[in-house]
Amino acid sequence: MHYDVAIVGGGPGGSTCATFLKQYCPELSVAVFERETFPRDHVGESQLPYISYILDEMKVWDKVEAAGFPVKIGATYRWGKTSDLWDFNFTPNGEFQDEERPAKFAGQRLRTAFQVDRAVYDKILLDHARELGAEVFEGTGVASVGKKGREIAYLKLGNGEQVTADMYIDASGNAAALRRALGVPVEEPSALKNVAFYDYWQNAEWAVKLGVGGTRIQIMSLGYGWIWFIPLGPTRTSIGFVCPAEYYKSTGLRPEELYLRALAEEPRISQLMADATCEGHFTATKDWSFISETMAEENWMLVGEAAGFADPILSAGLTLTHASAREAAFTVIELAKGGDRDWLFEQYTGRNRRRVGQHIRFADYWYRANAHFSELKEFTSRIAAEAGMELDADKAFQWIGTGGFVDEDMYAGGLGSYSFFAIHEINRWFLDDKVQTAYGGFNGFELDLRRAVPVAMPSYEKGRVLRVDGWSRNNKVLPMVGMVRRVVEAFQTDKAAFKALSHLAAGFRRDNMDFNSDILSKAMETVEALVRDGWLKGLLLPGAEPLDGTVVEGSLFIHANRDAELPADRRGTGVG
């Protein structure tokens, strides 16, 4: 059995990779080997909006929407310096208009995500890859991996058959079948070593019902860990508990005993579970963040959790998986077209190591900022000592932004999957410091390329990996594409902030594109990213007032919980 591409693992990473390979390069022979038979349960159900854009590009969004999964409008937290509940919304004020489902990927749905039952979701994606022409072998695991140094020679399947391929993709998740066989080292940059316990429950109440099928997940901290509560459908809910491995060992309790004790001790969760019954699929797993030393070499690539994992507090797992799988597929297609293997692999590894690393640092920051985790003080103090985070917001920003604030995915400013406006508002709940933008106090900016070197950077578009101009300095990158390019060119035209923004708006209009409040917000986030990464130098020019850098309180997206304002039939018993 020989294929152009052999993919180990049929979860979202494997099916996303296979779909893009067949969609953009149908002549490639692609096989997916999945050790289990779908459908099957799997943890990791909460998504971020970026995934919806990938699903749309895969031409599978409509199928996922038709499955009727709850629409994720955001999350409600008990987390930070106060015990008060607060909401992190994807839509302004957490509003979600009544809209018949299934809906189209347009309007308000561009801002939302899904909360997916992985047994159903993963099967939809794998079947979609099969429909596009990928050969899918379920119930077919990899028994051993034949190697020649760091090159894969063949796969030996559990049924005794042997498979060879020009390229091998490890999308086997935590099993990391190829990575482990090859002995690829991993780094564990976080001091936190957590364990997770979870099960599925029937007939737990939704905390809120927004629009048609919309809700928020619940993230509730205890003094020794935190609980996730993720509705997956009208009656099914994923409920998990995360705590340090050392704490679990110190209790002397069996995993299920500790799990049930935690759920009973959290008042909001226990109210929502008052009439719920457990399905009895209790699972315990370690939950340690890591990054693979390399993610592409010789004739293999790693995607998703086989390549790296960040603590689930940020709901970023599936985002990291889908994004890396997409880029791996585009890389393979570019190789088939004669692309430079060394450059393509270097870019894929560097990009995905930065992405996973940012999420790990941001997750550590979330733990550090929670005053209610009394049992985590020892762990978070170690993190803080390494980063100087006990001091002020600016030093926290320097730390969580290591590797750069310029977002290579959306070509704008942010951190991991989060925009700067979101990060600022999160900081308001975490820190006593007054939150300020980096561009505040200046009225002009100029490009600073001192000690920077020109580099070719990748742009992953429509099945291709295109070389675009960029700059590199101190492990930070400046890709001259998208909003970054537009902002840089605007300030090269005029250093004065307001005049440069006028040039920016005029450029959008010349290209027959709207320049609305959303675009302006994205532009200012990009300015902030460029200032924080040192690509733009702030100026005080005569004759104009400096920009106000104060982040206004009362965000449309992050604010105190308002469930009590909802009609009684839109919230769970005892909520509000």
Side-chain angles (χ1 to χ4, degrees):
M1 299 172 66
H2 181 83
Y3 297 91
D4 293 318
V5 186
I7 300 173
V8 180
S15 55
T16 296
C17 189
T19 290
F20 279 126
L21 288 169
K22 296 302 294 184
Q23 178 174 308
Y24 288 119
C25 198
E27 64 270 22
L28 288 176
S29 59
V30 178
V32 181
F33 301 96
E34 168 55 50
R35 67 182 178 184
E36 299 187 51
T37 300
F38 286 13
R40 56 89 178 95
D41 281 321
H42 200 286
V43 73
E45 304 95 350
S46 180
Q47 300 191 346
L48 297 175
Y50 181 51
I51 291 177
S52 294
Y53 288 86
I54 296 178
L55 296 176
D56 184 59
E57 185 180 3
M58 292 168 64
K59 304 187 189 308
V60 75
W61 192 91
D62 287 344
K63 294 179 182 178
V64 175
E65 165 66 5
F69 297 124
V71 180
K72 183 179 177 183
I73 312 302
T76 295
Y77 290 89
R78 179 176 286 115
W79 198 283
K81 62 187 178 183
T82 172
S83 60
D84 295 338
L85 297 174
W86 54 279
D87 296 338
F88 183 172
N89 298 310
F90 297 151
T91 62
N93 290 313
E95 294 177 358
F96 188 57
Q97 303 301 320
D98 288 351
E99 179 183 35
E100 186 177 349
R101 296 187 68 186
K104 293 297 183 184
F105 185 56
Q108 64 180 355
R109 296 305 300 278
L110 297 175
R111 293 181 179 269
T112 64
F114 291 106
Q115 295 162 203
V116 296
D117 187 325
R118 288 288 300 275
V120 180
Y121 179 74
D122 290 10
K123 181 170 173 53
I124 291 172
L125 298 189
L126 189 59
D127 287 347
H128 184 70
R130 183 186 281 115
E131 290 170 14
L132 290 183
E135 292 188 47
V136 176
F137 299 85
E138 297 183 60
T140 308
V142 173
S144 62
V145 179
K147 300 174 292 181
K148 291 181 180 178
R150 293 269 279 205
E151 182 176 332
I152 296 176
Y154 62 84
L155 304 178
K156 187 73 172 291
L157 303 180
N159 60 13
E161 293 188 80
Q162 186 168 293
V163 175
T164 58
D166 296 330
M167 180 64 65
Y168 299 86
I169 304 293
D170 189 346
S172 60
N174 185 58
L178 305 187
R179 192 198 78 217
R180 295 177 191 272
L182 291 163
V184 179
V186 299
E187 304 167 18
E188 296 178 355
S190 173
L192 293 169
K193 307 295 182 186
N194 290 338
V195 290
F197 310 115
Y198 62 92
D199 207 331
Y200 300 93
W201 295 73
Q202 287 290 333
N203 300 317
E205 288 192 275
W206 290 18
V208 292
K209 298 177 181 178
L210 307 171
V212 177
T215 190
R216 290 190 298 269
I217 68 170
Q218 308 292 302
I219 303 292
M220 300 288 119
S221 70
L222 298 166
Y224 49 87
W226 62 274
I227 295 169
W228 78 67
F229 181 98
I230 307 172
L232 308 179
T235 64
R236 197 176 199 221
T237 301
S238 171
I239 306 177
F241 169 65
V242 178
C243 70
E246 289 187 19
Y247 175 77
Y248 153 62
K249 293 174 184 177
S250 71
T251 65
L253 298 174
R254 292 187 297 108
E256 195 164 8
E257 290 175 334
L258 179 57
Y259 171 73
L260 294 174
R261 189 191 79 177
L263 301 189
E265 289 181 352
E266 211 303 307
R268 186 176 177 90
I269 299 300
S270 60
Q271 286 178 342
L272 295 174
M273 296 177 64
D275 297 320
T277 56
C278 185
E279 290 187 4
H281 301 300
F282 181 79
T283 304
T285 181
K286 74 175 188 177
D287 196 15
W288 298 356
S289 298
F290 73 89
I291 313 174
S292 178
E293 183 181 87
T294 184
M295 299 180 184
E297 195 174 294
E298 300 292 343
N299 62 344
W300 52 266
M301 301 183 73
L302 312 178
V303 305
E305 195 174 330
F309 176 77
D311 190 281
I313 186 62
L314 300 177
S315 297
L318 278 175
T319 299
L320 296 172
T321 293
H322 279 290
S324 63
R326 174 180 180 268
E327 291 163 8
F330 288 18
T331 299
V332 172
I333 293 169
E334 201 63 38
L335 284 171
K337 296 180 182 297
D340 182 336
R341 179 182 301 264
D342 291 342
W343 180 79
L344 289 165
F345 281 1
E346 177 187 1
Q347 297 304 316
Y348 176 82
T349 292
R351 181 184 182 91
N352 282 282
R353 277 180 56 84
R354 281 192 297 272
R355 182 188 285 133
V356 177
Q358 283 181 324
H359 279 94
I360 290 174
R361 283 186 291 275
F362 202 8
D364 284 349
Y365 178 46
W366 278 67
Y367 283 100
R368 171 67 180 92
N370 195 328
H372 301 286
F373 275 164
S374 58
E375 297 293 340
L376 282 175
K377 288 181 180 177
E378 179 184 350
F379 297 95
T380 54
S381 63
R382 269 186 263 161
I383 295 171
E386 294 171 3
M389 283 174 52
E390 70 276 15
L391 297 177
D392 57 31
D394 284 339
K395 296 220 168 158
F397 255 108
Q398 290 172 11
W399 181 65
I400 60 178
T402 302
F405 281 111
V406 177
D407 187 326
E408 297 177 52
D409 296 319
M410 305 303 289
Y411 306 129
L415 179 73
S417 303
Y418 293 83
S419 72
F420 264 121
F421 288 149
I423 296 169
H424 285 316
E425 288 301 314
I426 290 166
N427 272 329
R428 186 187 305 287
W429 289 91
F430 284 179
L431 301 169
D432 292 324
D433 302 59
K434 191 174 183 180
V435 181
Q436 295 279 334
T437 65
Y439 54 75
F442 302 109
N443 59 12
F445 301 90
E446 64 178 354
L447 187 65
D448 183 357
L449 296 177
R450 291 174 296 175
R451 297 184 299 281
V453 294
V455 292
M457 299 188 63
S459 179
Y460 297 83
E461 303 176 21
K462 298 180 180 178
R464 300 297 306 274
V465 186
L466 306 177
R467 287 176 179 253
V468 297
D469 292 334
W471 297 86
S472 175
R473 177 175 60 202
N474 299 330
N475 199 36
K476 294 179 172 61
V477 293
L478 179 67
M480 293 298 289
V481 291
M483 183 64 81
V484 172
R485 177 184 62 80
R486 288 178 179 273
V487 168
V488 168
E489 291 178 350
F491 282 105
Q492 286 179 311
T493 302
D494 200 311
K495 295 178 182 179
F498 291 107
K499 291 182 179 179
L501 291 174
S502 295
H503 288 297
L504 182 69
F508 271 88
R509 296 187 185 104
R510 281 196 303 272
D511 295 337
N512 296 314
M513 300 170 66
D514 289 336
F515 189 79
N516 52 34
S517 59
D518 282 346
I519 299 299
L520 176 60
S521 294
K522 187 63 68 177
M524 295 311 297
E525 288 182 298
T526 303
V527 171
E528 173 153 20
L530 295 174
V531 172
R532 288 191 179 276
D533 278 356
W535 299 113
L536 285 182
K537 178 182 178 182
L539 305 172
L540 271 175
L541 303 174
E545 291 293 320
L547 298 173
D548 183 1
T550 303
V551 177
V552 179
E553 294 199 31
S555 164
L556 294 177
F557 298 96
I558 299 179
H559 50 68
N561 179 261
R562 301 168 182 167
D563 289 349
E565 300 174 10
L566 293 171
D569 63 349
R570 293 272 179 159
R571 49 189 164 89
T573 304
V575 171

